Amino acid sequence: MHLNVLLLSNQIRGLDGTGGLGDVPVGLAKELLARGDVDVRLAMPGYEEISAEGEPLLRDRFDAGNLVVGGLEVPFGDGRVRVDVYRVTLPHSQPAVTCYLFRCPEVFDAPEPGSRRVDKNTADKAILFARAALEFLRAHADFRVDLIHCNDWHTGLAPVYLNTLYRHDHYLGRVASLYTTHNCFGAAYQGGFDPAAYGGLLRLAGLEGAEVFHGGTRSLFHDWRFNFTKGGLGFADLINTVSRRYAKELQSATFAGGLQGVFQERRGAFTGVINGIDTAEWNPAGDPLLSGIHYSAADDPQQVREQKRKVRRLLRNWAIKGRHHRSGAWPFANLDDHSLLIGVVSRIDFQKSPILVRAMERLCRLEGVQIAMLGCAGHNDPLGLGFEESFRSQAAAAPDRLLFFDGFDIELSHLLYAASELFLVPSSYEPCGLTQMVAMRYGAVPLVRETGGLADTVTDERDPERANAATGYCFREPLAPNALLDEPRGADALVNRVGEAVALYRRNPQRWAQLLHNGMAEDWSWSIPSRQYVMLYQEAIRRALGRSYFG
């Protein structure tokens, strides 16, 4: 069965976006295209400012030669806006991945009031993106899709439209939808907008008469807000998230941001699929950023360890570039050749940092241990910025123990994974997590908090039933009912387990070598997840056919 799939996402790595949401469309699309039985194409808003602005292959992305549909008239509020759709190939993708860019500067490039900054997470942009995607499919006969794969709240209206305004369309009325939620923790991640704005948003979306703003599952109404995620969850033929454990967690009040009733009601149409990683990019056997220092799971653990030590030289010589306030500095110059190196590559925010910031001072006191950390907070996240300042202060107080770069750099992240012996991911919650998988591939033993995808991907060293398959360390502090985390107890548990790991590394090198080898031998590619997604696509199409013919 050959399938045509349009995958919608507000972020696509290689175009715009650096987080996990942007990684998923690219990794999944490349694996599906390599199968040969799925033609998947990506779509996102055509922003003027993108994170890959320096990529030469994208400078001409809005040239007339790339135009597929020009002047597409899309209903928007009381009128229509004109959207141009461009087709580009994702730079350096193999197989070549097609991306459609929806260009409407008056909406997608509109700055915030009183500012020159463009917020890409606004309701009007999400409304236009979903509506334009469907109008494009109706106008573009060269690519007739079987299914639309929607990713996170920016795409949540597409399933709503398919089941309301386009329900009786001879083509779109039969198109299936899969909605994937990557993070559902609170209104900011759900696309929940001010209660006072819901009337205007319904008009903008053209849904005033569609009866979609009321109680119940098939609704955009949640907590008196216009909620894009709830629309996607309630109207899509199938829904999924990015790990099995997180799928269970989302059916509880602790993790679901008030949407647990929707997940519970739709549990027969809801599952979890663990993300993969791009094993071509994250490959210590041929990583071009390691300057010829290579190793693999086939190597003896001692050889892996020796190669890791060589990478430390690259870390010591790594200098901050660009407009950073410390440009020209060498943040890892104090790295010792004989320490046990603990790595951290992370955003700095409530999801990633509360436990680590409490534990850091004690971790810095561990004998013979150094911590190399890469991370920064969002400019509009005061809590995250406070954590970032704490890490800076701790690094200043212990410059030989905590080596911290307060920014983000892809090259540096490769060096940190390759050099580290132990890798920390003490998240408050974690829908999937990619860093622990990358760490294992590079021979860094992960130490994670037992939640979400971290619990699904790391087998604990203490697990009596899977001792020979262990890949790392897990911790979980005692919690009160319905509590997400206990920061003081979590910090204690983290420090204790790091102490255990350090002791094992020094006293039992054979067991450590087994953990390292087991992690490196795991298959974290998109091979298995892609097969699972094909099964979801086929089931969603079956349900859509039943809906269109018998519903």
Side-chain angles (χ1 to χ4, degrees):
M1 179 183 182
H2 184 88
L3 301 178
N4 287 346
V5 176
L6 183 67
L7 189 153
L8 307 181
S9 179
N10 190 51
Q11 295 182 31
I12 296 173
R13 188 175 183 189
L15 288 168
D16 191 45
T18 57
L21 178 59
D23 288 341
V24 170
V26 177
L28 178 57
K30 290 198 292 187
E31 194 69 35
L32 291 174
L33 289 169
R35 288 170 55 101
D37 60 348
V38 181
D39 183 356
V40 58
R41 305 183 188 184
L42 312 183
M44 70 173 292
Y47 298 116
E48 180 67 31
E49 294 184 6
I50 57 174
S51 58
E53 195 62 63
E55 171 56 61
L57 296 176
L58 294 175
R59 289 174 187 161
D60 301 329
R61 63 190 183 279
F62 298 134
D63 278 6
N66 295 325
L67 187 66
V68 177
V69 177
L72 181 69
E73 292 199 351
V74 180
F76 193 60
D78 296 328
R80 292 174 177 267
V81 294
R82 292 171 62 87
V83 176
D84 294 325
V85 184
Y86 296 85
R87 174 175 173 161
V88 299
T89 298
L90 186 71
H92 316 298
S93 57
Q94 192 58 242
V97 177
T98 294
C99 303
Y100 294 112
L101 304 178
F102 293 80
R103 184 84 176 122
C104 183
E106 66 187 89
V107 177
F108 293 134
D109 294 330
E112 297 179 75
S115 167
R116 299 175 65 181
R117 178 180 175 272
V118 176
D119 184 353
K120 297 177 181 178
N121 298 301
T122 61
D124 60 333
K125 294 178 178 63
I127 289 170
L128 180 59
F129 180 34
R131 193 73 185 267
L134 298 187
E135 290 294 329
F136 165 69
L137 289 176
R138 196 156 60 169
H140 187 53
D142 291 346
F143 186 54
R144 308 293 277 183
V145 303
D146 302 291
L147 178 137
I148 301 174
H149 184 176
C150 306
N151 286 266
D152 251 8
W153 72 263
H154 312 86
T155 67
L157 281 192
V160 180
Y161 282 139
L162 288 175
N163 285 273
T164 54
L165 303 187
Y166 297 87
R167 181 179 180 183
H168 300 294
D169 186 277
H170 291 302
Y171 165 33
L172 294 176
R174 292 176 288 177
V175 170
S177 59
L178 171 69
Y179 181 82
T180 301
T181 179
H182 295 258
N183 192 332
C184 207
F185 194 80
Y189 291 105
Q190 294 174 5
F193 287 88
D194 190 340
Y198 77 81
L201 294 181
L202 283 173
R203 283 193 300 275
L204 198 62
L207 291 168
E208 289 174 290
E211 297 184 4
V212 294
F213 203 74
H214 52 69
T217 298
R218 290 168 64 86
S219 169
L220 289 161
F221 176 87
H222 174 61
D223 196 23
W224 296 99
R225 292 174 179 265
F226 185 107
N227 190 290
F228 285 82
T229 289
K230 188 177 180 186
L233 296 176
F235 283 88
D237 294 297
L238 281 183
I239 57 177
N240 79 293
T241 191
V242 290
S243 68
R244 297 184 300 274
R245 173 68 75 90
Y246 192 53
K248 294 178 181 177
E249 291 171 343
L250 284 175
Q251 296 178 58
S252 70
T254 305
F255 292 88
L259 291 175
Q260 63 273 11
V262 179
F263 288 110
Q264 292 165 6
E265 186 168 329
R266 297 220 63 196
R267 60 185 175 272
F270 178 44
T271 190
V273 176
I274 297 172
N275 290 333
I277 60 173
D278 187 336
T279 52
E281 176 184 359
W282 300 109
N283 178 20
D287 191 332
L289 296 176
L290 301 186
S291 301
I293 304 171
H294 297 137
Y295 56 91
S296 73
D299 294 331
D300 179 87
Q302 181 58 34
Q303 185 178 353
V304 172
R305 182 177 179 181
E306 290 171 0
Q307 294 297 88
K308 282 179 162 290
R309 294 299 165 123
K310 293 178 183 178
V311 178
R312 295 193 184 205
R313 172 177 51 82
L314 302 179
L315 261 181
R316 276 194 294 269
N317 293 331
W318 186 87
I320 300 173
K321 301 175 284 290
R323 299 180 180 178
H324 193 274
H325 66 96
R326 296 168 62 202
S327 184
W330 290 273
F332 305 99
N334 291 339
L335 184 57
D336 190 331
D337 276 337
H338 305 290
S339 63
L340 185 158
L341 183 61
I342 298 175
V344 179
V345 176
S346 176
R347 283 195 325 271
I348 297 178
D349 59 13
F350 172 76
Q351 180 185 342
K352 307 285 188 177
S353 307
I355 289 175
L356 183 60
V357 77
R358 280 181 174 267
M360 187 60 80
E361 185 177 340
R362 282 178 284 170
L363 294 176
C364 287
R365 293 200 295 264
L366 292 172
E367 189 63 34
V369 169
Q370 290 183 297
I371 302 159
M373 181 173 178
L374 162 63
C376 59
H379 296 301
N380 295 322
D381 178 8
L383 182 62
L385 291 169
F387 291 147
E388 184 180 319
E389 182 57 37
S390 294
F391 287 127
R392 267 195 296 269
S393 298
Q394 291 166 334
D400 295 326
R401 296 300 182 92
L402 176 57
L403 316 175
F404 176 44
F405 172 55
D406 50 345
F408 184 76
D409 185 275
I410 288 289
E411 175 190 356
L412 177 58
S413 69
H414 282 247
L415 298 181
L416 283 176
Y417 286 119
S420 299
E421 276 83 35
L422 188 66
F423 196 88
L424 302 186
V425 195
S427 304
S428 307
Y429 68 97
E430 192 63 72
C432 178
L434 301 178
T435 58
Q436 78 279 8
M437 293 186 260
V438 175
M440 283 186 269
R441 186 153 169 81
Y442 278 76
V445 174
L447 194 158
V448 306
R449 187 165 178 267
E450 188 181 339
T451 184
L454 300 175
D456 283 347
T457 54
V458 178
T459 302
D460 188 62
E461 195 274 331
R462 286 184 188 168
D463 189 335
E465 297 180 359
R466 303 185 65 194
N468 291 329
T471 56
Y473 292 84
C474 301
F475 73 92
R476 180 86 168 181
E477 73 277 13
L479 291 172
N482 298 322
L484 179 68
L485 77 162
D486 184 316
E487 294 175 26
R489 288 180 172 180
D492 292 343
L494 171 60
V495 172
N496 289 339
R497 293 240 68 186
V498 170
E500 287 181 36
V502 171
L504 184 78
Y505 175 82
R506 291 173 177 160
R507 299 171 188 170
N508 193 343
Q510 291 79 18
R511 177 59 170 165
W512 188 268
Q514 184 181 32
L515 297 180
L516 180 153
H517 180 267
N518 288 349
M520 292 189 74
E522 292 275 9
D523 179 6
W524 300 119
S525 73
W526 276 99
S527 176
I528 294 174
S530 68
R531 294 199 291 270
Q532 294 170 328
Y533 271 107
V534 169
M535 293 174 64
L536 290 180
Y537 292 166
Q538 292 170 338
E539 175 61 17
I541 291 167
R542 187 190 68 79
R543 293 184 182 215
L545 287 173
R547 161 173 55 80
S548 61
Y549 283 110
F550 304 110

